[in-house]
Amino acid sequence: MAPQDKSRKPAVAARLLNWYDAHHRELPWRTGPAALSKGERPDPYRVWLSEIMLQQTTVEAVKSYFTAFVRRWPSVSALAAAANDDIMKAWAGLGYYSRARNLKACADLVAAQGGIFPDTEEGLLALPGIGPYTAAAIASIAFARPAAVVDGNVERVVSRLFRIETPLPQAKTEIRALVQQMVPSGRPGDFAQATMDLGATICTPRRPKCMFCPLRADCDALAAGDPELYPVRLAKPEKPRRRGAAFVAIREDGAVLLRKRPEKGLLGGMTEVPTTGWTARLDGETSPDAAPFPSPWKRAGQITHVFTHFTLELDIYRASFGGRAPQGHFWSPPDDLHGEALPTVMKKAIDAAIPGATKRRKP
Ligand code: SF4
C-alpha cells in the first residue's frame, strides 16, 4: 500500500482491532477489550504508572515492579504520601532513576489536584516525567483521545507496512503522520495497544511471523520480499567508554559500606558503594590509591555496565574494614542489602566482590 493511499487505512485499523480482540497480551496494567466492552474504564493511575515504568524498559522487567507498586501504593494519592527513599528502594533495579524522582514529583502535583490526571496530551505534557510519547499513550489508553502513539514496536510495524525507505530517526515524523491517519475514533486506546502487541509478538525485529499477521495482505515490505530490511536505520556510532573503580568494604559481620549519591545527576539519590569518578581517561583513576579511604584493597574483578550514553568499566576492589563508617557512609547488614536503593551497576559491583550478596533476602 502506498503511503498516500489513505482509503485503505481504516480497513487496516479494523483488521488490527479484530486481531487484538482475539490475541491481545494480558498485562497487569491493562484493561482488556472484554472488560472495556462491559463498561469498565482504565484507571489513569495504573496507565500512567505503567507507561513511566515502560519507558526504555521491557514489559517482562516491568511486570513485577508494577504489581509491587500498586499493591503498596494503590492510588496516586498513596504514592504522593510515600517517602522518597521508599520509592527509590522500590524502584531499585528498574534503571533510569530520574523516572522515580519524577514519578514522585508528578504524584505530588496530581494528588494536589484531587488525584485527577489531566485528560489531554497538552495537560499531561505539563507534568514531570511525561514526554510526547507518554502523554499520547496515557491520553489514548486512559482517556480515549485519538492520539498517535508511536513506540519502537509501532515504528517497526508501520515502517514495514508502508515500506518506508527514510531511515530512522528521520522517518519518525512520517511514521507518526501515518499512524495519526489510521487511529480509529471509536477505539484509539485499543488501536495503540494492538499495534504495540503486533510489533511485540508477530512483527518482531528478527524473523517476523508474517504467516500469522492480520496485515499480511496490506504489507508492502512483505510484498517486496524482505520485511527485516525495515525499519531502515543509520549506523549508530559506538558508545564512548568510561572507567573507574568501586570499593566494597566489608565489616566482620558481612555488612557492606554504602553511601547515597547526590540527588542531582546520573543515578541521583540512589545508593552506591564508594567509587572514584567515572572518566574517559586511562590514568590512575582505577587504582586502589584512588579509594576514598585507605584499606588493604584487593582486586575482585571488573564489571561492565551499559548506560544510555556510555559504557562503564569498573574495577572492583574489596577489603575488610573494621572501623566506624566514615562520614556520609553507612553499614548495610547482609540481610538488608537486597532492600537498599542499589542501581543494577552497584549490585553488579557488590556481587563481583561478594557473590550473590544482593540477591540474599531477609529470612
Ligand atoms: S506482514 Fe510481516 S512484516 Fe508486514 S506487518 Fe505483518 S508481521 Fe510485519
Side-chain angles (χ1 to χ4, degrees):
M1 177 168 44
Q4 64 274 19
D5 181 6
K6 292 182 189 171
S7 60
R8 292 179 59 194
K9 291 191 181 101
V12 170
R15 275 192 274 283
L16 193 53
L17 285 170
N18 281 341
W19 173 83
Y20 179 73
D21 288 343
H23 300 288
H24 62 274
R25 291 178 291 177
E26 299 285 350
L27 300 173
W29 48 86
R30 181 175 278 179
T31 308
L36 286 175
S37 70
K38 287 185 198 142
E40 206 174 301
R41 302 311 318 155
D43 176 354
Y45 169 63
R46 293 169 74 92
V47 175
W48 163 73
L49 182 61
S50 65
E51 287 300 335
I52 300 295
M53 288 183 165
L54 287 163
Q55 290 168 356
Q56 319 216 41
T57 308
T58 63
V59 163
E60 282 312 309
V62 165
K63 280 180 181 171
S64 61
Y65 282 86
F66 176 83
T67 305
F69 263 68
V70 293
R71 192 173 292 146
R72 189 165 175 189
W73 299 297
S75 67
V76 69
S77 304
L79 191 63
N84 262 329
D85 280 357
D86 286 343
I87 293 176
M88 298 308 275
K89 284 181 183 175
W91 194 277
L94 201 52
Y96 300 97
Y97 296 96
S98 60
R99 291 183 299 173
R101 292 192 295 278
N102 282 326
L103 194 77
K104 177 70 164 75
C106 185
D108 288 347
L109 276 173
V110 174
Q113 309 287 333
I116 310 284
F117 280 87
D119 64 358
T120 62
E121 281 181 85
E122 298 72 31
L124 290 159
L125 264 174
L127 293 172
I130 298 187
Y133 165 76
T134 305
I138 300 171
S140 162
I141 297 167
F143 301 113
R145 299 279 181 187
V149 184
V150 185
D151 69 354
N153 283 319
V154 178
E155 282 176 351
R156 186 167 57 256
V157 171
V158 174
S159 301
R160 291 174 177 173
L161 200 53
F162 297 103
R163 204 172 160 220
I164 294 173
E165 299 290 355
T166 315
L168 282 170
Q170 288 90 326
K172 281 178 183 285
T173 312
E174 187 178 345
I175 291 170
R176 194 181 150 78
L178 286 163
V179 172
Q180 189 69 71
Q181 289 164 20
M182 284 194 286
V183 177
S185 56
R187 299 177 64 188
D190 281 352
F191 174 77
Q193 293 173 105
T195 325
M196 291 177 200
D197 281 14
L198 190 78
T201 62
I202 301 281
C203 194
T204 47
R206 303 266 167 273
R207 298 171 193 261
K209 302 170 191 70
C210 302
M211 282 277 288
F212 304 103
C213 180
L215 308 182
R216 59 188 175 279
D218 306 292
C219 183
D220 287 349
L222 178 62
D226 198 350
E228 282 192 48
L229 289 179
Y230 301 89
V232 180
R233 292 181 194 277
L234 293 176
K236 277 191 190 162
E238 206 186 321
K239 289 188 187 196
R241 279 188 179 263
R242 292 193 195 167
R243 295 171 181 83
F247 301 94
V248 182
I250 307 161
R251 204 168 59 181
E252 207 170 63
D253 63 352
V256 172
L257 191 69
L258 300 177
R259 65 186 185 188
K260 192 172 173 185
R261 289 179 65 84
E263 291 295 335
K264 296 255 180 261
L266 185 67
L267 308 178
M270 299 299 286
T271 301
E272 66 174 7
V273 293
T275 79
T276 60
W278 300 342
T279 167
R281 299 193 310 271
L282 276 172
D283 56 17
E285 276 293 309
T286 63
S287 87
D289 298 340
F293 47 86
S295 241
W297 297 110
K298 291 217 166 21
R299 198 161 187 282
Q302 187 185 63
I303 60 148
T304 302
H305 189 76
V306 181
F307 289 98
T308 315
H309 300 299
F310 66 94
T311 299
L312 176 67
E313 282 172 4
L314 277 183
D315 285 332
I316 310 300
Y317 294 93
R318 61 172 282 166
S320 299
F321 186 78
R324 287 164 61 96
Q327 196 176 14
H329 296 66
F330 63 95
W331 288 108
S332 180
D335 287 346
D336 290 354
L337 268 181
H338 181 80
E340 300 289 358
L342 290 164
T344 302
V345 60
M346 288 300 150
K347 288 184 177 168
K348 285 185 192 173
I350 294 170
D351 288 338
I354 319 167
T358 65
K359 294 175 185 70
R360 176 171 162 173
R361 289 174 182 270
K362 274 190 179 172

